[in-house]
Amino acid sequence: MPSLEQLRFDNTYARLPAGFSVRVLPSPFQDAHLVSVSPQALRLLGLETSEARRPEFVEAFGGLRPLPGMEPMATVYAGHQFGVYVPRLGDGRALLLGEAVTPSGERWEVNLKGSGHTPFSRMGDGRAVLRSTVREYLCSEAMYGLGIPTTRALCIIGGREQVFREEVETGAMLVRLAPSHVRFGTFEYFHYTEQHEHVATLADYVLARHFPHLEGAKDRYARFFAEVVERTAQLVAQWQAVGFAHGVLNTDNMSILGLTLDYGPFGFLDDFEPGFICNHSDDFGRYAFDKQPRIALWNLACLGEALLSLISEEEAQTALQAFSPSFASHFLARMREKLGLRESRPEDRELLETLFAKMADARADYTRFFRRLGRFDTSEGARNELLRDQFLDMEGIDAWAAAYRTRLLAEGSVDAERRLRMDRINPKYVLRNYLAQTAITRAQEGDFREVDRLLEVLSRPFDEQPEHEASAAPPPAWGKHLSVSCSS
Ligand code: AMP
Ligand code: MG
């Protein structure tokens, strides 16, 4: 395995025309230190765990002494924020340090978040706080563990620098990895500044690197847009199935690759509450949990608009029309798996909708409900107390359980085998808000062991981990409705 110094960089984004980015040097912490590192993300770069323990690691990824070949830059983008177009956003507190090429030829953009002022900082200080950094770090790696497309998190770098938000907080930096950080808003920027040749340049760049099968095709841009629609539909179907609310689905936080991008005030459902609003600043619930599919489509329409110099109105419409059916079919397929159903039958939708209504009535814990459902006993007369426990309306849930049992028996379902299958799709551990908060509180006191522990637990969310049983528990009273704002 190569050492840090042997990491190779080939910064393709830096080769794009001048208007795409600005060269900026990071403003490192003077007392930078490694807070936590993800061993799995390290392996993506082909680095051994021991490399992270070297002081040079923090110096390189914390921006103090960039590695040979890195060309730090801030990229420009725009975006619709809460429905309002903001003509210029860009990396205001992050830098693309470079694009690493691993020994196996994979390419990862290395992005440093919290790295200081850039020309896109507007009124901001260019910093990130430890609190939001821990949240993004843990959730990126947790989403990966859940099998949901996401940017990755390599490490957190700490410093003693203070950052002013609603109160004084500790600053930190996050090293993020992704094949590309291009956003819907990157296309919007070039479209609305009427630099249509750059819309094409960006599209060609993205196609060459991430959609090579489309290159050379006459209708490549239309097919590209159709694929982004499809990837986004798949992504949101996975969010809805696992109970994840992103919190700030502005078009600048939408990845062109269909990755979960820019973790802010996100939340996993504890109680099943379809209208769950995780972002305290989202007064009207624009980004409520159950609105995510609709908002994703709205965002895709913005992207379609931004591509109108490359595709026809009709091509854009056709692609957009595929979103809802595609989302519905991915979501239903995923939920069938969560219910342990192998066959697809017309009555499944009703079975699911009835269940959701009962779960919402009872405010059943979303993650725990499905995990327990894997233990459903189809034998004659079984009472399935583990299921009934979670509902006050016993008659209602008994009726549903009877229908569920009939449905399982109709496809010859075998309890033990189904349980194994369901345990691979219904996680035991998700990054509940109160878990993140506990790790943050300790980290703010200088103790990072809880961050490391959660990282490890959440990397295997489907495994029973008896020594970490407590982390599967629904929130205690204090952790139920923690307020998480956009401030980060
Ligand atoms: P976000 O809400 O983190 O997705 O950020 C939206 C926009 O605001 C992006 O252009 C960020 O770069 C910028 N931004 C957010 N926080 C800061 C900050 N503390 N300093 C400078 N720019 C920021
Ligand atoms: Mg953002």
Side-chain angles (χ1 to χ4, degrees):
M1 280 201 182
S3 68
L4 209 50
E5 289 74 13
Q6 286 163 322
L7 254 190
R8 211 163 66 71
F9 287 90
D10 175 27
N11 312 310
T12 53
Y13 210 83
R15 306 280 96 80
L16 289 170
F20 281 69
S21 63
V22 182
R23 291 290 162 82
V24 183
L25 285 179
S27 313
F29 293 140
Q30 289 317 315
D31 51 358
H33 56 269
L34 187 67
V35 165
S36 180
V37 66
S38 160
Q40 295 196 50
L42 261 181
R43 277 198 290 279
L44 294 177
L45 296 182
L47 293 174
E48 238 160 319
T49 316
S50 56
E51 286 297 292
R53 288 196 282 269
R54 298 172 49 201
E56 290 84 355
F57 182 88
V58 171
E59 289 173 5
F61 290 104
L64 195 66
R65 227 179 302 281
L67 292 169
M70 282 181 170
E71 295 171 274
M73 64 188 159
T75 72
V76 68
Y77 54 84
H80 281 83
Q81 298 193 313
F82 288 88
V84 178
Y85 186 64
V86 183
R88 204 173 89 142
L89 291 163
D91 294 324
R93 55 154 163 186
L95 291 174
L96 188 53
L97 292 181
E99 182 179 336
V101 187
T102 71
S104 59
E106 273 183 47
R107 288 166 171 271
W108 290 95
E109 285 186 355
V110 181
N111 184 283
L112 181 62
K113 198 164 171 179
S115 52
H117 259 273
T118 80
F120 308 112
S121 297
R122 297 179 293 162
M123 307 300 278
D125 56 8
R127 291 301 191 202
V129 296
L130 181 61
R131 166 175 53 84
S132 66
T133 303
V134 166
R135 285 171 56 84
E136 174 152 10
Y137 176 72
L138 289 177
C139 201
S140 313
E141 294 302 282
M143 290 295 252
Y144 175 74
L146 290 164
I148 300 176
T150 177
T151 57
R152 299 296 301 274
L154 179 69
C155 65
I156 299 177
I157 289 167
R160 266 183 289 280
E161 194 171 305
Q162 293 192 322
V163 174
F164 298 90
R165 295 292 181 262
E166 282 85 6
E167 50 190 1
V168 177
E169 295 193 48
T170 317
M173 297 188 200
L174 177 80
V175 180
R176 178 165 66 176
L177 305 175
S180 169
H181 288 79
V182 170
R183 300 142 193 275
F184 291 8
T186 320
F187 284 93
E188 290 182 287
Y189 174 79
F190 292 112
H191 176 71
Y192 288 109
T193 50
E194 296 186 15
Q195 304 181 70
H196 295 132
E197 73 289 3
H198 282 351
V199 176
T201 305
L202 181 61
D204 289 341
Y205 171 81
V206 170
L207 258 74
R209 300 206 37 227
H210 307 290
F211 300 82
H213 52 286
L214 299 182
E215 273 202 299
K218 230 175 108 237
D219 56 351
R220 61 191 179 280
Y221 298 126
R223 285 169 61 188
F224 160 60
F225 182 50
E227 284 197 27
V228 178
V229 170
E230 171 60 17
R231 284 189 193 208
T232 306
Q234 282 190 33
L235 175 69
V236 180
Q238 296 204 53
W239 287 350
Q240 300 310 111
V242 82
F244 173 81
H246 179 286
V248 202
L249 284 178
N250 294 333
T251 56
D252 49 302
N253 292 338
M254 296 288 294
S255 150
I256 203 73
L257 301 183
L259 309 172
T260 313
L261 173 69
D262 276 10
Y263 293 86
F266 65 83
F268 283 87
L269 294 175
D270 293 308
D271 293 350
F272 182 58
E273 197 188 322
F276 171 58
I277 303 168
C278 58
N279 179 354
H280 188 66
S281 328
D282 184 5
D283 294 333
F284 301 104
R286 179 181 172 88
Y287 299 139
F289 173 70
D290 58 359
K291 295 224 182 100
Q292 294 188 120
R294 247 189 293 163
I295 282 293
L297 176 58
W298 192 91
N299 289 342
L300 283 162
C302 291
L303 176 63
E305 182 83 31
L307 293 175
L308 285 181
S309 57
L310 301 177
I311 63 179
S312 69
E313 191 106 24
E314 195 192 341
E315 286 170 324
Q317 284 307 334
T318 306
L320 290 169
Q321 275 156 17
F323 178 85
S324 297
S326 167
F327 166 77
S329 106
H330 287 301
F331 179 65
L332 191 59
R334 200 83 184 169
M335 291 313 301
R336 261 197 200 101
E337 289 180 314
K338 286 179 77 69
L339 290 170
L341 304 175
R342 268 177 322 196
E343 292 172 12
S344 149
R345 299 193 176 207
E347 67 266 31
D348 295 348
R349 187 182 293 273
E350 198 193 322
L351 189 71
L352 184 63
E353 276 164 14
T354 313
L355 173 63
F356 276 152
K358 295 199 182 311
M359 288 175 73
D361 272 352
R363 301 209 154 210
D365 185 87
Y366 189 79
T367 302
R368 195 157 72 151
F369 173 85
F370 281 102
R371 186 71 180 188
R372 285 186 170 185
L373 192 64
R375 279 105 190 109
F376 190 83
D377 183 348
T378 54
S379 42
E380 182 85 57
R383 283 177 58 80
N384 284 299
E385 292 299 347
L386 218 52
L387 179 70
R388 302 178 89 226
D389 258 9
Q390 304 171 72
F391 295 83
L392 284 176
D393 170 18
M394 297 275 185
E395 267 173 42
I397 197 61
D398 284 348
W400 183 83
Y404 179 52
R405 176 172 180 269
T406 306
R407 174 66 183 79
L408 289 174
L409 295 180
E411 66 171 47
S413 200
V414 177
D415 287 357
E417 182 274 334
R418 185 182 66 252
R419 172 179 171 160
L420 289 177
R421 231 180 327 114
M422 288 173 78
D423 277 0
R424 302 316 301 162
I425 184 98
N426 294 321
K428 170 129 182 171
Y429 302 96
V430 294
L431 183 61
R432 296 172 184 272
N433 230 343
Y434 85 91
L435 294 174
Q437 191 51 49
T438 305
I440 289 164
T441 306
R442 301 227 182 115
Q444 286 168 336
E445 292 159 358
D447 176 358
F448 305 114
R449 284 173 301 180
E450 183 63 7
V451 173
D452 288 331
R453 188 190 70 86
L454 279 179
L455 183 79
E456 165 69 26
V457 173
L458 295 169
S459 72
R460 301 186 289 126
F462 301 107
D463 292 356
E464 290 291 329
Q465 304 178 51
E467 67 282 26
H468 299 293
E469 189 69 29
S471 303
W478 67 264
K480 253 198 161 179
H481 292 106
L482 292 171
S483 137
V484 186
S485 75
C486 263
S487 136
S488 58

